[in-house]
């Protein structure tokens, strides 16, 4: 009968099998965790590559967006600058217009205050300083040359009017009454119409800078929020360190399992482990849960990093998708800017044309002012000239009247002498001898040249003439002063 084995041997074997099973289970679980970690690590690496590639595209699009924004700002600034230049030219024209229209208003007001004596326009109901001068009641105003100078003076219609001292000057016409107001209004209306059309042209691009700014702001607001990518490098390094630690733990589990399997094999061969070896195997087996917990934590750490990378990739992809939509908006913005620049160029061309036309309009206004100034000046000179001619006429009439008086006296004296001669000697001379001896002396009369008319001049009051003379003198003084300064 064989001796029975020691009691300790039978009790240790089941325990050793249990340790082997625990070790094997831990090793298999560890391999699964390491396999999962490896898969996550590889996926994380690919995800990191995707994040970097997508982020590069987003940055490229962002640079393109910023460049387009800078271009839009440049276009807006260019349009503002060109509009400012046009505005400056228009303001200069407005200033010139104001000066010329003010000068025109001033001369018209001056014409409206300068009275025209009625004798200058009432000789014929249809007469006008600027219209055709119709004939007087007499054909061509010719005076009968058989009339004496005194009869001519008595027949002076202006003389008759001059004798009227009760004329109300408030009813007199002014120089402005002979101005074609409707023609002036047509000129000024044409100026105002062209100026309004210029404003209409300018207004077509008035809101362009603001429109560009609003569009750029809208695109900028629609841009995706910039999201800082996770620290990819540190995540990958951390994953690599974690996988390295897991590999060491897996190696430890494999080594522990080998030890347990070898011990079980030896036990089955009749070689029982020592007490110390059993204690060491028990101690190592008791550490398996902590090792497995570390492996679980490591896998969770790798999974967390992988999820961060996945979230980053999703966010960057969303940014890219939104940025692509922004590129479409930028293309539309580019078309808008092209249209704006083209339209602004058309506006510049049209405005220059209008400014040239308006400048020509101002030349017409300036010409009107010059004509009315000359009109007033010429009328003042006309009054002075009429006064000078009146002096000339009065001097001539005085000479003629003196000649007539002297001729009448000489004729009367001659008639008396001839009567005395005929009374004393005529009776003694036969009647058929010297028939002319009884003729009276020839009577003489001084009359205008055949075909000429006696000059008829309108009446000018002395105060009006004095005022005009003073005005002409002052104007001549200013003209001389300007001429000397110009030299």
């Amino acid at each position: 009968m064989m001796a029975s084995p020691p009691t300790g041997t039978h009790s240790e074997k089941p325990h050793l099998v249990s340790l082997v099973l625990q070790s094997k289970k831990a090793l298999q679980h560890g391999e699964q965790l390491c396999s999962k970690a490896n898969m996550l690590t590889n996926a994380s690496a690919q995800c990191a590559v995707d994040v970097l590639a997508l982020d590069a595209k987003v940055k490229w699009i962002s640079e393109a967006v910023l460049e387009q924004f800078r271009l839009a700002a440049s276009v807006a600034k260019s349009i503002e600058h060109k509009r400012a230049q046009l505005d400056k030219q228009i303001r200069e024209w407005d200033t010139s217009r104001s000066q010329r229209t003010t000068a025109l208003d001033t001369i018209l007001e001056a014409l409206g205050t300068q009275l025209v004596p009625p004798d200058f326009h009432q000789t014929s109901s249809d007469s006008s300083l600027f219209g055709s001068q119709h004939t007087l009641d007499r054909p061509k105003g010719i005076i009968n040359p058989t009339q004496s100078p005194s009869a001519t003076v008595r027949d002076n219609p202006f003389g008759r009017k001059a004798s009227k001292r009760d004329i109300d000057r408030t009813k007199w016409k002014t120089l402005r009454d002979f101005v074609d107001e409707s023609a002036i209004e047509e000129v000024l209306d044409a100026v105002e119409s062209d100026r309004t059309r210029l404003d209409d042209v300018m207004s077509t691009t008035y809101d362009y800078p603001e429109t560009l700014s609003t569009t750029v702001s809208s695109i900028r607001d629609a841009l995706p929020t910039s999201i800082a990518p996770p620290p990819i490098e540190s995540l990958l390094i951390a994953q690599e360190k974690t996988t390295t630690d897991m590999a060491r733990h897996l190696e430890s589990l494999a080594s522990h399992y080998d030890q347990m399997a070898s011990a079980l094999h030896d036990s089955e061969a009749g070689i029982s482990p020592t007490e110390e070896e059993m204690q060491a195997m028990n101690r190592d087996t008791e550490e398996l849960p902590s090792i497995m917990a570390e492996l679980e934590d490591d896998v969770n750490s790798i999974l967390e990093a992988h999820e961060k990378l996945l979230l980053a990739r999703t966010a960057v992809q969303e940014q890219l998708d939104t940025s692509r939509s922004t590129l479409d908006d930028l293309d539309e913005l580019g078309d808008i800017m092209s249209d704006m620049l083209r339209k602004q160029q058309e506006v510049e061309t049209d405005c220059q044309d209008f400014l040239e036309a308006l400048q020509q309009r101002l030349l017409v206004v300036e010409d009107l002012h010059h004509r009315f100034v000359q009109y007033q000046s010429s009328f003042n000179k006309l009054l002075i000239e009429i006064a000078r001619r009146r002096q000339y006429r009065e001097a001539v009439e005085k000479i003629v009247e003196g000649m007539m008086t002297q001729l009448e006296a000489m004729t009367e004296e001659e008639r008396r002498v001839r009567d005395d001669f005929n009374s004393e000697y005529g009776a003694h001379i036969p009647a058929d001898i010297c028939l002319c001896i009884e003729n009276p002396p020839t009577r003489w009369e001084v009359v205008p040249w055949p075909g000429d008319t006696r000059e008829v001049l309108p009446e000018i009051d002395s105060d009006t003439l004095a005022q005009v003379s003073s005005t002409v003198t002052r104007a001549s003084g200013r003209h001389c002063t300007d001429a000397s300064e110009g030299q």
Side-chain angles (χ1 to χ4, degrees):
M1 183 173 183
M2 294 179 60
S4 61
T7 306
T9 303
H10 292 286
S11 61
E12 290 174 358
K13 185 175 181 180
H15 179 67
L16 187 59
V17 172
S18 174
L19 292 179
V20 172
L21 291 176
Q22 291 182 35
S23 177
K24 183 178 181 181
K25 184 177 180 181
L27 176 60
Q28 290 175 344
H29 190 199
E31 288 176 343
Q32 291 176 354
L33 292 176
C34 287
S35 177
K36 182 179 180 180
N38 183 61
M39 180 184 65
L40 290 174
T41 301
N42 292 334
S44 297
Q46 182 60 47
C47 189
V49 172
D50 293 342
V51 169
L52 293 175
L54 292 173
D55 187 62
K57 292 181 180 179
V58 170
K59 288 182 178 179
W60 178 82
I61 293 177
S62 299
E63 288 295 328
V65 170
L66 293 177
E67 182 63 28
Q68 195 76 343
F69 285 168
R70 286 191 288 267
L71 179 60
S74 176
V75 170
K77 185 176 181 180
S78 174
I79 292 177
E80 287 181 348
H81 177 69
K82 292 178 179 180
R83 284 186 56 83
Q85 289 181 324
L86 289 175
D87 285 337
K88 180 180 179 182
Q89 295 181 44
I90 293 173
R91 287 196 301 271
E92 291 175 352
W93 182 89
D94 286 337
T95 301
S96 181
R97 172 196 182 182
S98 177
Q99 293 172 348
R100 283 166 172 75
T101 54
T102 299
L104 180 61
D105 290 340
T106 300
I107 186 60
L108 288 175
E109 290 176 0
L111 294 178
T113 60
Q114 187 161 355
L115 299 175
V116 178
D119 291 348
F120 278 77
H121 60 86
Q122 287 184 351
T123 56
S124 173
S125 60
D126 297 331
S127 65
S128 170
L129 289 182
F130 294 119
S132 60
Q133 300 296 328
H134 298 281
T135 59
L136 302 177
D137 294 337
R138 297 188 190 90
K140 298 183 180 179
I142 298 177
I143 298 176
N144 190 343
T146 61
Q147 292 180 338
S148 66
S150 60
T152 305
V153 172
R154 287 193 299 273
D155 194 47
N156 182 2
F158 294 112
R160 292 198 303 272
K161 291 184 180 180
S163 64
K164 299 179 181 179
R165 299 300 180 186
D166 57 348
I167 297 177
D168 184 6
R169 290 191 179 185
T170 60
K171 298 180 180 179
W172 284 15
K173 289 187 177 183
T174 65
L175 287 179
R176 187 165 182 172
D177 292 325
F178 301 95
V179 172
D180 189 355
E181 296 279 355
S182 61
I184 298 176
E185 289 299 325
E186 288 180 3
V187 171
L188 296 180
D189 287 346
V191 172
E192 183 62 26
S193 176
D194 285 353
R195 181 63 179 83
T196 301
R197 291 171 62 192
L198 177 60
D199 283 339
D200 293 340
V201 171
M202 282 290 291
S203 65
T204 57
T205 61
Y206 175 78
D207 60 345
Y208 277 9
E210 182 179 356
T211 299
L212 276 179
S213 178
T214 302
T215 303
V216 169
S217 297
S218 176
I219 296 175
R220 181 180 286 111
D221 293 340
L223 288 176
T225 304
S226 178
I227 301 176
I232 296 176
E233 184 178 0
S234 61
L235 288 177
L236 295 179
I237 292 175
Q239 280 188 340
E240 183 179 0
K241 180 178 183 300
T242 301
T243 54
T244 302
D245 293 340
M246 291 181 70
R248 285 199 299 268
H249 285 312
L250 185 60
E251 290 177 357
S252 176
L253 290 175
S255 176
H256 177 68
Y257 174 71
D258 290 341
Q259 290 177 359
M260 293 297 101
S262 177
L264 179 59
H265 180 71
D266 291 342
S267 176
E268 290 176 350
I271 302 174
S272 299
T274 64
E275 185 68 22
E276 292 180 357
E277 291 175 342
M278 287 299 299
Q279 291 179 357
M281 287 187 289
N282 285 329
R283 188 173 55 253
D284 291 341
T285 303
E286 290 173 356
E287 291 179 359
L288 289 178
S290 63
I291 294 175
M292 297 309 299
E294 289 183 10
L295 287 175
E296 292 283 354
D297 292 340
D298 289 341
V299 170
N300 290 334
S301 174
I302 293 174
L303 179 60
E304 182 181 355
H306 179 65
E307 289 176 348
K308 288 182 179 179
L309 291 173
L310 287 176
L311 291 175
R313 184 173 66 180
T314 302
V316 176
Q317 183 65 52
E318 291 177 354
Q319 279 188 309
L320 181 61
D321 295 339
T322 305
S323 298
R324 285 172 177 167
S325 176
T326 302
L327 287 179
D328 296 335
D329 295 337
L330 292 179
D331 290 339
E332 183 179 355
L333 177 61
D335 295 337
I336 292 175
M337 289 190 295
S338 298
D339 291 340
M340 285 183 173
L341 290 174
R342 178 183 55 78
K343 184 61 177 179
Q344 179 62 33
Q345 185 60 44
E346 293 176 357
V347 167
E348 289 181 33
T349 302
D350 293 342
C351 286
Q352 291 300 331
D353 293 340
F354 271 113
L355 285 172
E356 291 178 4
L358 286 170
Q359 194 61 36
Q360 294 300 317
R361 299 284 190 192
L362 286 189
L363 292 179
V364 175
V365 174
E366 186 176 7
D367 180 66
L368 285 175
H369 171 262
H370 177 72
R371 289 172 58 188
F372 292 142
V373 169
Q374 293 299 318
Y375 164 37
Q376 183 184 44
S377 175
S378 298
F379 182 78
N380 291 337
K381 295 292 183 68
L382 172 64
L383 295 179
I384 295 175
E385 176 63 15
I386 292 298
R388 187 196 65 78
R389 292 187 183 188
R390 178 177 292 280
Q391 291 179 352
Y392 163 77
R393 189 192 69 181
E394 291 174 352
V396 171
E397 288 179 350
K398 186 175 182 181
I399 294 174
V400 171
E401 290 175 359
M403 291 177 63
M404 289 297 297
T405 300
Q406 185 178 1
L407 288 173
E408 289 177 358
M410 290 178 65
T411 301
E412 182 61 27
E413 176 64 22
E414 178 65 17
R415 185 190 61 76
R416 187 183 59 77
V417 171
R418 290 187 183 191
D419 287 346
D420 291 344
F421 176 82
N422 289 331
S423 297
E424 184 177 356
Y425 303 105
H428 306 289
I429 298 175
D432 56 351
I433 295 178
C434 192
L435 300 178
C436 66
I437 195 63
E438 294 182 359
N439 292 341
T442 302
R443 291 181 298 174
W444 293 90
E445 183 179 26
V446 180
V447 296
W449 189 269
D452 285 357
T453 61
R454 181 179 180 276
E455 189 170 34
V456 180
L457 300 173
E459 187 70 23
I460 304 174
D461 293 339
S462 59
D463 59 337
T464 301
L465 186 60
Q467 182 179 2
V468 168
S469 298
S470 175
T471 301
V472 171
T473 301
R474 289 197 303 269
S476 299
R478 288 195 299 269
H479 179 72
C480 294
T481 300
D482 295 341
S484 61
E485 290 178 355
Q487 293 177 354

